[in-house]
Each structure stands twice: as C-alpha cells, then as structure tokens.
Amino acid sequence: MPSQIIEPATFDPRYKTLYRLGGIASIVIAFSIALAIAAFFIWPYKGSNTSIEAIFTLLQTDRLGGLISLDISMLLIAPINILMFLAIYAALRRVDESIALIALVLALIAVVLVIVCRPLVELTVLSDHYAAATDPTEKLRYLAAGEILRTSLDGTAWMMQTVFFLLAGLINCLLMLRTTFFSKATAWLGIVISVIGLPFFLPGAIGLLFLFLNTIGSVPWCLLLARDLLRMAGEGQTALGYSRREA
C-alpha cells in the first residue's frame, strides 16, 4: 500500500488585506512597546505601591506623566492587538482551526480585561473632583472611590489578561512551528518569551523581572511577525492575481 504524503498547510490568500493590517499593527505594537519601556525609566509605574492621594496629586501636577506611570501605553496598545491576533488566526486556521480559535478567543478576552484593569479615565475624573473639593468629607469619598479603582490596577483582571495573552502567544507560536509560511525564528522566539513570562506571578521583583524580560522580547518578536505577515500579504496578492487570470 503506497504511503500517503501529507502536504504542509498553506495560508489562505483571501485574507491578504488582514495579513497586511496585522503586519502593520505588529510594527506599531513593537515601536509602542519600545517607547513604553523607555518611558518606564522616566515615569516609573505607580500602582499598588502608591497611595491614591499621591496618584491624584500626580495627575493634577503632571497629567501626562501620571497617565504614563499608570500604564496608559498598555491601554493604547491592547486594542491594536486585535488586528494582529486576527491576522495570526486567519493564517493558522488551516493548520488547526479549533486550536487557533482558542488562541484568538483568549487574546480577545485579554484585550477586554486590559480595558477593565486600567480605569484611567475614571481615576483622572476623580482626581479633578478631589482637587476641586473643599469639604474634607467629600475629599474622603473621592479617595475611597479612587482606592477601589487603584486596587484593580494590579488585581484579578490584570493577572488574567497577562495569563491569557501569554497562553494565546504560546499556542499560536506552537502552531507556527507546523507551518512553512511563518519562520522558525518567529515561532521559537514567541515560545521562549511566552514561557519566560509565565512565572510573572512569583512574589516580589522576581515575577516582575520575568514579565519585563517578556516585554523586551516582544519587540523583536512583533517585528519578525510583521515581516512574515507582510510577506504573506504580498504572496496572497500574487496568488489571487493568478487565480483571476486563470478564471
């Protein structure tokens, strides 16, 4: 009985526009993360280790610096991830559609959780009300409301979005290893940085160090991913052009 030759899965050229958008989004994410890392050393993160009164004061004296120190970059980058993960799903769906869909759902949930755990508009509004208040009792009410929001900065939603993003990245990169259209460098780097980020829950500086290494590694990974997606967009355009001429 002749042995069957299983051909490797190919990407769907119909999603060429999505590949291009995903590639552009990956480049934007890479440069945004690099800027956020640089900004971290100028405006260090102020979350659970800073009192809500100090946060309100900072938002009044340095609005931009205060928002950056509360991770506004994370809030701005998260929605751009939607385009990137949609493009990855479109490319990997022929490899294993069920697993690729799980990774996409995890990523989309993570984006929603980022918005939940970064209530920066609410904190800014409360800061303005706190600064304008003259009654001590009223000030205490704003501080109490702000304290509830401050705890969400590093709470359950933050932890779950981190886990979901890491798992989505790990699953996608494992699927990439089974393709020829994603480079091995993209797949393996994604696996490494995802595994490095998983111990983020360890106490103290150790967990933060793992997460910081994951963040740094995300910059070259996004650039490698962008290269692959943009190449697929070009090849998809060519493939569709041939199909139309043959038709």
Side-chain angles (χ1 to χ4, degrees):
M1 181 177 178
S3 59
Q4 292 183 339
I5 300 176
I6 301 176
E7 296 183 357
T10 58
F11 64 88
D12 192 337
R14 295 176 302 169
Y15 294 102
K16 59 182 178 58
T17 302
L18 187 54
Y19 300 146
R20 184 172 292 108
L21 291 174
I24 295 171
S26 299
I27 295 173
V28 172
I29 292 171
F31 282 99
S32 298
I33 293 174
L35 289 174
I37 293 173
F40 172 80
F41 293 98
I42 303 174
W43 295 282
Y45 176 67
K46 298 184 183 301
S48 58
N49 59 342
T50 306
S51 69
I52 188 60
E53 188 172 6
I55 290 175
F56 280 174
T57 301
L58 179 61
L59 288 172
Q60 291 301 310
T61 57
D62 183 6
R63 180 64 55 90
L64 178 60
L67 290 173
I68 293 175
S69 68
L70 292 174
D71 247 354
I72 191 174
S73 58
M74 180 180 177
L75 190 61
L76 297 176
I77 293 171
I80 307 175
N81 276 282
I82 295 175
L83 283 175
M84 184 181 75
F85 279 103
L86 281 173
I88 294 173
Y89 167 75
L92 294 175
R93 58 190 294 270
R94 287 183 173 179
V95 179
D96 191 324
E97 187 167 8
S98 298
I99 301 301
L101 183 59
I102 291 172
L104 175 62
V105 171
L106 287 173
L108 295 180
I109 294 174
V111 170
V112 174
L113 291 175
V114 168
I115 298 172
V116 172
C117 72
R118 287 295 176 269
L120 302 190
V121 173
E122 293 88 341
L123 283 171
T124 302
V125 171
L126 285 175
S127 171
D128 291 340
H129 289 331
Y130 175 79
T134 55
D135 181 27
T137 304
E138 190 177 5
K139 282 182 173 289
L140 287 175
R141 283 203 302 269
Y142 291 131
L143 288 174
E147 184 64 27
I148 295 173
L149 296 177
R150 186 186 69 86
T151 57
S152 69
L153 295 174
D154 301 306
T156 303
W158 177 81
M159 292 194 68
M160 294 309 298
Q161 67 84 23
T162 305
V163 172
F164 285 179
F165 268 135
L166 290 172
L167 288 179
L170 181 59
I171 292 170
N172 282 327
C173 290
L174 288 172
L175 290 178
M176 288 177 189
L177 285 177
R178 297 165 54 184
T179 72
T180 57
F181 44 85
F182 281 110
S183 70
K184 298 302 180 186
T186 305
W188 279 113
L189 179 58
I191 291 171
V192 169
I193 63 174
S194 296
V195 172
I196 286 176
L198 284 174
F200 76 94
F201 56 84
L202 294 176
I206 298 176
L208 293 177
L209 175 61
F210 281 115
L211 195 58
F212 190 64
L213 291 174
N214 165 268
T215 304
I216 294 174
S218 297
V219 175
W221 181 76
C222 284
L223 294 176
L224 288 172
L225 177 65
R227 181 197 62 181
D228 292 344
L229 289 173
L230 292 175
R231 185 187 66 245
M232 290 159 56
E235 293 176 2
Q237 179 70 44
T238 303
L240 288 176
Y242 282 139
S243 298
R244 291 193 183 99
R245 282 198 294 270
E246 291 175 359

